[in-house]
Amino acid sequence: MRSEPIGSGARPELLTRIDDLVEELQPRLVEWRRDLHAHPEPSRAEHRTTSRIRGVLESLGLEARSLEVPTGLYADVLPDGSRRVPRIGLRADIDALSLVDQKDVPYRSTHTGVAHACGHDVHTAVLLGAAEVLVRLREQGLLNRGVRLLFQPAEETSPGGALDMVAQGLLGDLREVYALHCDPRTEVGRVAIRTGAITSACDRFQVTFSGPGGHSSRPHLSADLVMAIGAVITEVPTLLSRRIDPRVGASMVWGQVQAGNAPNAIPASGQLSGTLRCLQLEGWQRARDLVPQLIEQVAAPYGVSVQVDRSTGIPPTVNHAAAAGRLAEVCSAVLGPDSLADTEQSLGGEDFSEMVLAVPGALGRLGVRPVGSADWPDLHRPGFDVDEACLGVGVRVLSGLVALRPDPGPRRRSQAA
């Protein structure tokens, strides 16, 4: 599955040992992943998932430590006899989506309305697999550096669990931090990497509209709240595109609207919610402040009042140049030079961004689409699934990031341009 190491300084026998351990582990990786997939839990409610992770870590002789929030945990794997060795962080998000799983498979979600449609079951199984590989290498005297395994809750909400881990100080003694995310656009066996921004900034807006209500036969005696909502839906994205530099890549999309219960009554209240996404950090700061102003200005002529609530936003995930290069080097060593793929910056939000603001690091996109398949369900779709060969690929990469680098180099906190 791999070629000879290129520029990694890795010993061939170490690469072979990682390969052997992953091959032996593959059935358990599938078991872990399918169990997690069948029992998804939403953000901040990942209690069974946390317990399952704890059980696997403790079976490996690791001390699984709780977070200061109810779910999620972390554990360290350190070389024998050393507790001060520099550490790399490896992160997996563990929560699921509020979405119906429509697949006809034995491991289909058993929790109605909740599904692992973003691949967090894969991320978790991969990190558990890396934990086992690194523990086995330590037993054989082949682990020269430390690692912190970060099982993060609540990635799919805002504010997310990455902020909890940063606030708890779990990244304070790390030199680097890495994560992989499932990518159905990339074939299994490959990892897509880019330097610089790989995801976008994201905010969630909820707008509450209020008016006197009234009979639809006398709109002049009321305030047409539904018409006001419609105007905000159509006009705010257009106005934003004329008030923000187009190169910023600002995108305002509404996803939910609710108002009224009868066709002949103008409702007294309604709600609208959506997301703002931006490619650039600087433009995001301007756009997120401008959106509430535009909403109020558009709604004002209709005589309704509005309350705009904005979530704690997520900045773009910006891969540091050195970390992205290191990730690419390890992929080439453990998977082969043909394993690398290019990728574009997406408009998706990812709170791993908070971790790489605290510590240099990189996010890679793990290919999950079967080789030769021209069409595959995208993330956040009811039919999303993966080619489970991706599990071993991910374990090789995360294990290699730790095991193949004896010296982490000097710590740097500045972001790559």
Side-chain angles (χ1 to χ4, degrees), residues 5-48:
I6 52 173
S8 67
R11 303 193 304 273
E13 64 272 19
L14 181 55
L15 290 168
T16 299
R17 187 61 187 136
I18 292 174
D19 272 348
D20 292 343
L21 288 169
V22 173
E23 290 297 327
E24 177 185 336
L25 187 58
Q26 181 66 22
R28 290 203 295 285
L29 293 174
V30 172
E31 177 189 345
W32 292 336
R33 183 257 166 170
R34 293 189 177 189
D35 175 73
L36 294 168
H37 196 90
H39 301 89
E41 296 173 302
S43 301
R44 305 291 182 190
E46 312 96 329
H47 300 287
R48 181 190 183 277

Side-chain angles (χ1 to χ4, degrees), residues 97-103 108-109 111-115 117 381-383:
L97 289 161
S98 296
L99 188 148
V100 176
D101 189 348
Q102 295 182 357
K103 298 187 301 297
R108 179 179 176 177
S109 172
H111 297 171
T112 302
V114 186
R381 295 277 183 88

